[in-house]
């Protein structure tokens, strides 16, 4: 396994910061907001009450119940509490799903560019990703036809991430339905990583939760408290899906991490039940940053960027700004780090060397500062 490229940039950025360099850090996919007060208070109380022992490996019953109720309320999904597993972040949910479902020789169809860990996790399980290109010209939309065209007799699953990290691309409800119904006919699993489900700026989010009643053996929903509630360090994610898949993941989790941290789950439950106003405020702020950032990015020489439909990343094509010495997304990212003192992530980490990923999970002041520095470095 290679090191996650996003973590490598974060480490170099941290090194520079430790040397006292004032970086404009647009690298991390991590909300700059504080975790909701209700979550902090509930976790603090749980600690004070001595809720510090092992819990059931699949998570505390109250949170599993609340996740099932939330999926029902939001999407009409029929999952029971027993079909919800609380995991150590969405990352562990996805990793454990890969280990539970995939074998050597199998294929997983996945749109590209895509988040760095999907490919590594699937390869670790012995299977192979079949990438399906998405395109900047239409905002990296996820279309059903090319994804279904990539299905072969070796395909075990289709993996979707809408809204997508790094592109901000989303899937329309009719494309999602076409993929899921086709997958159901062929006995495939559709894993839907909906980590960014709340960040869909231009249309309602299309979730596999809405198809779970019709296709109960086909869809698996993966989610996270990290981005929605600005709770990255708490490490609480989850999945909901068919009982057999859930059981397999539970078995793996019981040997891998045991339960997610007891008091962090109490905090997550409080966030789910009481932090929706805080979430709405954060979403409004991300939207405002997007409105501010994208036109300004397009004014930079050699930058071309469609507004992301979701998540909190801009994914501009910067290939027209490449020159000898800053050729390709990795060299260009290094140039931005060393010359402009701006941290971003090279598109190559996600499967496109023409792009860089710019996170707008940072203050508007930081974004404006970064834009100025990039403009000066390119001048
Ligand atoms: N899935 C996607 C698409 C992500 O971008 C991330 C985090 O960056 C994750 C999953 C993992 O999130 P968590 O913090 O819940 O492990």
């Amino acid at each position: 396994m290679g090191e996650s490229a996003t973590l490598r940039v974060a480490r170099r950025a941290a090194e520079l910061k430790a040397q006292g360099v004032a970086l404009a850090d647009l690298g991390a996919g991590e909300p700059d907001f504080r975790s909701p007060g209700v979550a902090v208070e509930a976790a603090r109380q749980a600690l004070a009450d001595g809720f510090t022992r092992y819990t059931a490996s699949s998570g505390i019953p109250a949170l599993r119940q609340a996740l099932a109720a939330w999926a029902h309320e939001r999407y009409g999904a029929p999952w029971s509490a027993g079909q919800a597993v609380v995991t150590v972040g969405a990352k562990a949910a996805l990793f454990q799903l890969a280990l539970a479902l995939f074998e050597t020789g199998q294929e997983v169809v996945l749109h590209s560019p895509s988040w760095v860990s999907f490919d590594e996790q699937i390869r670790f399980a012995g299977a192979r990703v079949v990438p399906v290109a998405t395109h900047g010209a239409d905002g990296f939309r996820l279309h059903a036809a090319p994804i279904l065209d990539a299905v072969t007799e070796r395909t075990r699953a289709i993996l979707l991430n809408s809204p997508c990290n790094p592109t901000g691309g989303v899937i329309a409800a009719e494309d999602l339905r076409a993929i899921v119904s086709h997958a159901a006919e062929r006995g495939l699993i559709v894993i839907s990583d909906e980590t960014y489900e709340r960040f869909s700026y231009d249309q309602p989010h299309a979730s596999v939760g809405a198809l779970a009643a019709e296709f109960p053996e086909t869809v698996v929903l993966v989610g996270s408290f990290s981005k929605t509630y600005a709770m990255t360090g708490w490490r609480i994610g989850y999945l909901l899906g068919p009982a057999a898949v859930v059981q397999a993941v539970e078995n793996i989790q019981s040997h891998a991490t045991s339960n997610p941290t007891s008091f962090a789950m109490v905090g997550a439950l409080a966030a789910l039940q009481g932090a929706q106003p805080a979430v709405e405020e954060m979403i409004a702020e991300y939207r405002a940053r997007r409105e501010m950032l994208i036109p300004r990015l397009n004014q930079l020489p050699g930058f071309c960027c469609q507004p992301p439909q979701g998540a909190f990343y801009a994914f501009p094509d910067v290939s027209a700004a490449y020159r000898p010495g800053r050729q390709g997304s990795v060299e260009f990212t290094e140039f931005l780090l060393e010359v402009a003192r701006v941290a971003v992530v090279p598109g190559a980490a996600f499967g496109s060397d023409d792009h860089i990923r710019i996170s707008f999970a940072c203050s508007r002041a930081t974004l404006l500062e970064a834009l100025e520095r990039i403009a000066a470095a390119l001048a």
Side-chain angles (χ1 to χ4, degrees):
M1 246 184 192
E3 182 187 26
S4 157
T6 51
L7 293 183
R8 191 162 64 232
V9 174
R11 200 176 52 219
R12 175 68 183 135
E15 253 171 46
L16 287 171
K17 278 185 199 161
Q19 292 163 14
V21 175
L23 276 188
D25 190 353
L26 317 182
E30 172 155 47
D32 54 320
F33 302 102
R34 294 185 73 97
S35 299
V38 286
V40 174
E41 195 38 53
R44 196 201 311 272
Q45 192 60 51
L47 271 171
D49 292 346
F51 191 66
T52 54
R53 297 180 181 275
Y54 292 132
T55 69
S57 162
S58 305
I60 54 174
L63 183 53
R64 299 176 77 191
Q65 183 66 52
L67 286 167
W70 161 86
H72 181 71
E73 191 185 320
R74 189 161 161 79
Y75 299 122
W79 292 307
S80 66
Q83 287 171 279
V85 187
V86 187
T87 57
V88 182
K91 194 173 256 182
L94 291 159
F95 208 163
Q96 290 166 169
L97 274 170
L99 294 176
L101 292 173
F102 306 145
E103 286 174 9
T104 304
Q106 292 182 331
E107 294 176 352
V108 179
V109 177
L110 169 64
H111 48 91
S112 170
S114 60
W115 180 51
V116 291
S117 293
F118 291 137
D119 187 67
E120 298 282 351
Q121 292 183 345
I122 290 163
R123 282 198 300 125
F124 189 87
R128 160 179 114 77
V129 164
V130 176
V132 175
T134 56
H135 303 283
D138 70 353
F140 295 98
R141 249 180 193 286
L142 279 48
H143 296 288
I147 287 174
L148 293 176
D149 284 348
V151 170
T152 70
E153 71 281 359
R154 288 180 299 279
T155 306
R156 172 75 172 110
I158 297 169
L159 175 50
L160 302 171
N161 172 220
S162 168
C164 173
N165 172 12
T167 65
V170 300
I171 193 164
E174 56 272 25
D175 284 274
L176 185 60
R177 166 171 284 282
I179 289 170
V180 170
S181 68
H182 188 86
E185 272 169 33
R186 299 188 60 138
L188 309 177
I189 297 280
V190 176
I191 300 172
S192 183
D193 175 352
E194 302 185 16
T195 291
Y196 297 93
E197 53 134 8
R198 298 297 293 275
F199 311 101
S200 181
Y201 302 110
D202 301 319
Q203 63 243 286
H205 169 65
S207 171
V208 291
L211 300 167
E214 208 176 331
F215 304 102
E217 297 309 315
T218 306
V219 299
V220 179
L221 169 61
V222 174
S224 176
F225 286 81
S226 290
K227 321 286 175 168
T228 305
Y229 299 98
M231 291 173 64
T232 43
W234 298 60
R235 310 306 306 127
I236 302 293
Y238 52 89
L239 65 90
L240 299 124
V245 173
V246 164
Q247 183 63 59
V249 168
E250 282 178 354
N251 292 349
I252 292 172
Q253 178 153 303
S254 73
H255 295 294
T257 63
S258 294
N259 57 279
T261 301
S262 55
F263 47 89
M265 287 191 281
V266 175
L269 177 60
L272 188 63
Q273 293 175 336
Q276 298 313 319
V279 171
E280 294 302 332
E281 273 175 38
M282 291 190 271
I283 292 169
E285 175 58 22
Y286 289 125
R287 184 187 293 279
R289 291 173 187 175
R290 183 184 75 141
E291 307 311 318
M292 190 209 82
L293 175 65
I294 306 305
R296 287 173 170 80
L297 276 180
N298 280 313
Q299 285 165 9
L300 293 171
F303 278 53
C304 176
C305 190
Q306 297 289 327
Q309 305 274 290
F312 41 60
Y313 309 103
F315 200 59
D317 184 331
V318 293
S319 57
Y322 291 168
R323 302 282 183 277
R326 50 179 222 235
Q327 198 67 47
S329 64
V330 173
E331 277 187 16
F332 193 73
T333 297
E334 282 162 3
F335 162 79
L336 291 181
L337 199 54
E338 306 299 338
V339 179
R341 296 308 195 198
V342 172
V344 301
V345 184
F350 307 98
S352 173
D353 205 27
D354 287 344
H355 296 80
I356 56 171
R357 190 192 75 175
I358 292 178
S359 167
F360 50 92
C362 58
S363 71
R364 289 189 231 186
T366 303
L367 289 171
L368 287 172
E369 173 70 28
L371 285 160
E372 253 178 48
R373 291 187 193 184
I374 296 172
L378 291 175

